[in-house]
Amino acid sequence: MSWSDARDLLRLWREDNERKSQDVVNLWETILSKNIFKLGDERLLVLEQVCLASLDTNRLDIADKCLQSLAAEFPSSLRVRKLQALKLETLEKYDEALELLDSIIKRDETNAAPRKRRVAILRAKGKHSEAIKELTDYLKKFMSDQEGWQELCDLYLLEQDYARAAFCMEELILHNPHNHLIHQRYADIRYTQGGFENIELARAHYSLAFKLNPSSIRALYGIFLCATNIAVSPKATSPKRKEATKLANWVIKELSKRQERQNVEDSQVAALEGLISSVQLAASA
Amino acid sequence: MAKAIHKLILLSGLLSLFHAAYSAAQHRSYLRITEQEFVSLPIDILTQGIVSLFITLYGVMNIAGDFKEIRATVDLENKSWETLRNIPSFYVFNHRGKALSPNYIPPSDEMD
């Protein structure tokens, strides 16, 4: 692989937030470390990416070298100091890392990155409730930070506080109304909460996710589960039940069409037939 | 990435465009000197201008890189939750990946 292909691959991973740390480190060792100066403007971004990846895979030798080059370029940069705090985190020296981050925050109150690292340290230590408290304080100041809302949703899910997790997901939906994955995850949370209204809401969002991405099989299965749940629920009125059974039948037809298209093996076809028979049982109930 | 041939095409398109503009200006000053009425530019200058416009367009399109889809939903279709859930600002490093590196020293368990 040539160095320009490696550089393009790294750029792709950087923009898509792919956490392929071992591959990044391998690419660095085999190709890029010799050609580092051919990268031009991207050199510093690549150094940062490789530093992060080497911390992820415990290659502290590479991390040290990257940090040295970065520190030589920008001796008093707060971003480089944040990376040094990351290195302390990897070594599990959390108190020193927290001190370093506090000094960065004092130097620049508007810098969001060290505050986020504080939350990550609390999460790494296992102190979820404190992490949640710190993150909610952060979000009161930096209200439009999507990453913060996503992380808060994750933390609430770890604590099984589904109502608040759903609230965080709603914030994310407001920021990205066209992103089918966020609708799907929101529907997942609502379905997990249970209860008739939540399942109707889940069905609405699964349908929206399917509308935004017609190739999303997860959304189809989600619609099926919600529809079957509504069809047997005691709170549903009769027209709603009929609509739900029709929807479930339609989903099954869609799923079998897609399976034919992909030539799926027999065990999965059998599973689909099981689904169909369960719908017929529910419809006759 | 921009190949040399496309850069060459772009350069020649721009030069020919500039040349057409210069000859048009020269033509008008000639008409002013010979006191003829200005009706329209000669056909060869017009065609040179239009052709060099298309050459420049072609060169710019090849140099500028691929077009992105206008519909926001289409390029999300290939993404999965696995990549969307990664937030680099919140990465935690105390996972089992440490054990896979060559520098790993397993903690010694001393059982009494």
PDB file of all heavy atoms in Angstrom, chain A residues 147-158:
ATOM      1  N   GLU A 147     -22.016  15.702  21.268  1.00  0.00           N
ATOM      2  CA  GLU A 147     -21.269  14.586  21.850  1.00  0.00           C
ATOM      3  C   GLU A 147     -21.617  14.436  23.321  1.00  0.00           C
ATOM      4  O   GLU A 147     -21.752  13.324  23.831  1.00  0.00           O
ATOM      5  CB  GLU A 147     -19.771  14.832  21.703  1.00  0.00           C
ATOM      6  CG  GLU A 147     -19.315  14.844  20.271  1.00  0.00           C
ATOM      7  CD  GLU A 147     -17.813  14.950  20.187  1.00  0.00           C
ATOM      8  OE1 GLU A 147     -17.180  15.368  21.170  1.00  0.00           O
ATOM      9  OE2 GLU A 147     -17.270  14.597  19.129  1.00  0.00           O
ATOM     10  N   GLY A 148     -21.766  15.590  24.009  1.00  0.00           N
ATOM     11  CA  GLY A 148     -22.105  15.540  25.427  1.00  0.00           C
ATOM     12  C   GLY A 148     -23.452  14.884  25.657  1.00  0.00           C
ATOM     13  O   GLY A 148     -23.596  14.036  26.540  1.00  0.00           O
ATOM     14  N   TRP A 149     -24.448  15.243  24.828  1.00  0.00           N
ATOM     15  CA  TRP A 149     -25.770  14.642  25.004  1.00  0.00           C
ATOM     16  C   TRP A 149     -25.725  13.144  24.730  1.00  0.00           C
ATOM     17  O   TRP A 149     -26.366  12.348  25.420  1.00  0.00           O
ATOM     18  CB  TRP A 149     -26.790  15.307  24.075  1.00  0.00           C
ATOM     19  CG  TRP A 149     -27.221  16.654  24.550  1.00  0.00           C
ATOM     20  CD1 TRP A 149     -26.913  17.857  23.992  1.00  0.00           C
ATOM     21  CD2 TRP A 149     -28.025  16.953  25.704  1.00  0.00           C
ATOM     22  NE1 TRP A 149     -27.469  18.869  24.705  1.00  0.00           N
ATOM     23  CE2 TRP A 149     -28.158  18.343  25.759  1.00  0.00           C
ATOM     24  CE3 TRP A 149     -28.632  16.172  26.682  1.00  0.00           C
ATOM     25  CZ2 TRP A 149     -28.879  18.984  26.755  1.00  0.00           C
ATOM     26  CZ3 TRP A 149     -29.360  16.816  27.667  1.00  0.00           C
ATOM     27  CH2 TRP A 149     -29.475  18.195  27.695  1.00  0.00           C
ATOM     28  N   GLN A 150     -24.950  12.754  23.713  1.00  0.00           N
ATOM     29  CA  GLN A 150     -24.877  11.336  23.391  1.00  0.00           C
ATOM     30  C   GLN A 150     -24.242  10.556  24.534  1.00  0.00           C
ATOM     31  O   GLN A 150     -24.697   9.475  24.907  1.00  0.00           O
ATOM     32  CB  GLN A 150     -24.055  11.147  22.114  1.00  0.00           C
ATOM     33  CG  GLN A 150     -24.259   9.816  21.473  1.00  0.00           C
ATOM     34  CD  GLN A 150     -23.539   9.726  20.149  1.00  0.00           C
ATOM     35  OE1 GLN A 150     -23.344  10.725  19.461  1.00  0.00           O
ATOM     36  NE2 GLN A 150     -23.145   8.529  19.799  1.00  0.00           N
ATOM     37  N   GLU A 151     -23.174  11.131  25.118  1.00  0.00           N
ATOM     38  CA  GLU A 151     -22.495  10.459  26.218  1.00  0.00           C
ATOM     39  C   GLU A 151     -23.405  10.394  27.437  1.00  0.00           C
ATOM     40  O   GLU A 151     -23.433   9.397  28.152  1.00  0.00           O
ATOM     41  CB  GLU A 151     -21.201  11.221  26.544  1.00  0.00           C
ATOM     42  CG  GLU A 151     -20.378  10.597  27.615  1.00  0.00           C
ATOM     43  CD  GLU A 151     -19.709   9.313  27.188  1.00  0.00           C
ATOM     44  OE1 GLU A 151     -19.759   8.984  25.991  1.00  0.00           O
ATOM     45  OE2 GLU A 151     -19.168   8.636  28.057  1.00  0.00           O
ATOM     46  N   LEU A 152     -24.187  11.476  27.652  1.00  0.00           N
ATOM     47  CA  LEU A 152     -25.094  11.476  28.806  1.00  0.00           C
ATOM     48  C   LEU A 152     -26.159  10.397  28.650  1.00  0.00           C
ATOM     49  O   LEU A 152     -26.497   9.697  29.604  1.00  0.00           O
ATOM     50  CB  LEU A 152     -25.743  12.855  28.957  1.00  0.00           C
ATOM     51  CG  LEU A 152     -26.578  13.030  30.218  1.00  0.00           C
ATOM     52  CD1 LEU A 152     -25.729  12.817  31.438  1.00  0.00           C
ATOM     53  CD2 LEU A 152     -27.184  14.423  30.259  1.00  0.00           C
ATOM     54  N   CYS A 153     -26.633  10.237  27.397  1.00  0.00           N
ATOM     55  CA  CYS A 153     -27.626   9.181  27.135  1.00  0.00           C
ATOM     56  C   CYS A 153     -27.039   7.814  27.462  1.00  0.00           C
ATOM     57  O   CYS A 153     -27.674   6.994  28.127  1.00  0.00           O
ATOM     58  CB  CYS A 153     -28.041   9.239  25.660  1.00  0.00           C
ATOM     59  SG  CYS A 153     -29.221   7.996  25.221  1.00  0.00           S
ATOM     60  N   ASP A 154     -25.781   7.610  27.036  1.00  0.00           N
ATOM     61  CA  ASP A 154     -25.093   6.348  27.314  1.00  0.00           C
ATOM     62  C   ASP A 154     -24.988   6.086  28.803  1.00  0.00           C
ATOM     63  O   ASP A 154     -25.221   4.978  29.293  1.00  0.00           O
ATOM     64  CB  ASP A 154     -23.681   6.446  26.733  1.00  0.00           C
ATOM     65  CG  ASP A 154     -23.375   5.265  25.868  1.00  0.00           C
ATOM     66  OD1 ASP A 154     -24.328   4.524  25.526  1.00  0.00           O
ATOM     67  OD2 ASP A 154     -22.205   5.090  25.536  1.00  0.00           O
ATOM     68  N   LEU A 155     -24.604   7.137  29.559  1.00  0.00           N
ATOM     69  CA  LEU A 155     -24.439   6.981  31.000  1.00  0.00           C
ATOM     70  C   LEU A 155     -25.765   6.659  31.676  1.00  0.00           C
ATOM     71  O   LEU A 155     -25.836   5.815  32.575  1.00  0.00           O
ATOM     72  CB  LEU A 155     -23.843   8.255  31.609  1.00  0.00           C
ATOM     73  CG  LEU A 155     -22.343   8.432  31.405  1.00  0.00           C
ATOM     74  CD1 LEU A 155     -21.907   9.820  31.817  1.00  0.00           C
ATOM     75  CD2 LEU A 155     -21.590   7.427  32.231  1.00  0.00           C
ATOM     76  N   TYR A 156     -26.853   7.335  31.238  1.00  0.00           N
ATOM     77  CA  TYR A 156     -28.149   7.040  31.827  1.00  0.00           C
ATOM     78  C   TYR A 156     -28.574   5.607  31.520  1.00  0.00           C
ATOM     79  O   TYR A 156     -29.208   4.947  32.341  1.00  0.00           O
ATOM     80  CB  TYR A 156     -29.215   8.010  31.330  1.00  0.00           C
ATOM     81  CG  TYR A 156     -29.263   9.315  32.089  1.00  0.00           C
ATOM     82  CD1 TYR A 156     -29.354  10.533  31.419  1.00  0.00           C
ATOM     83  CD2 TYR A 156     -29.213   9.332  33.471  1.00  0.00           C
ATOM     84  CE1 TYR A 156     -29.401  11.718  32.108  1.00  0.00           C
ATOM     85  CE2 TYR A 156     -29.253  10.521  34.168  1.00  0.00           C
ATOM     86  CZ  TYR A 156     -29.346  11.714  33.481  1.00  0.00           C
ATOM     87  OH  TYR A 156     -29.380  12.893  34.157  1.00  0.00           O
ATOM     88  N   LEU A 157     -28.244   5.130  30.309  1.00  0.00           N
ATOM     89  CA  LEU A 157     -28.594   3.752  29.976  1.00  0.00           C
ATOM     90  C   LEU A 157     -27.825   2.777  30.858  1.00  0.00           C
ATOM     91  O   LEU A 157     -28.353   1.737  31.244  1.00  0.00           O
ATOM     92  CB  LEU A 157     -28.304   3.465  28.505  1.00  0.00           C
ATOM     93  CG  LEU A 157     -29.324   4.040  27.537  1.00  0.00           C
ATOM     94  CD1 LEU A 157     -28.864   3.806  26.116  1.00  0.00           C
ATOM     95  CD2 LEU A 157     -30.675   3.398  27.746  1.00  0.00           C
ATOM     96  N   LEU A 158     -26.556   3.138  31.193  1.00  0.00           N
ATOM     97  CA  LEU A 158     -25.797   2.277  32.089  1.00  0.00           C
ATOM     98  C   LEU A 158     -26.454   2.207  33.459  1.00  0.00           C
ATOM     99  O   LEU A 158     -26.406   1.195  34.143  1.00  0.00           O
ATOM    100  CB  LEU A 158     -24.374   2.812  32.251  1.00  0.00           C
ATOM    101  CG  LEU A 158     -23.401   2.488  31.148  1.00  0.00           C
ATOM    102  CD1 LEU A 158     -22.095   3.198  31.396  1.00  0.00           C
ATOM    103  CD2 LEU A 158     -23.158   1.009  31.091  1.00  0.00           C
TER     104      LEU A 158
END
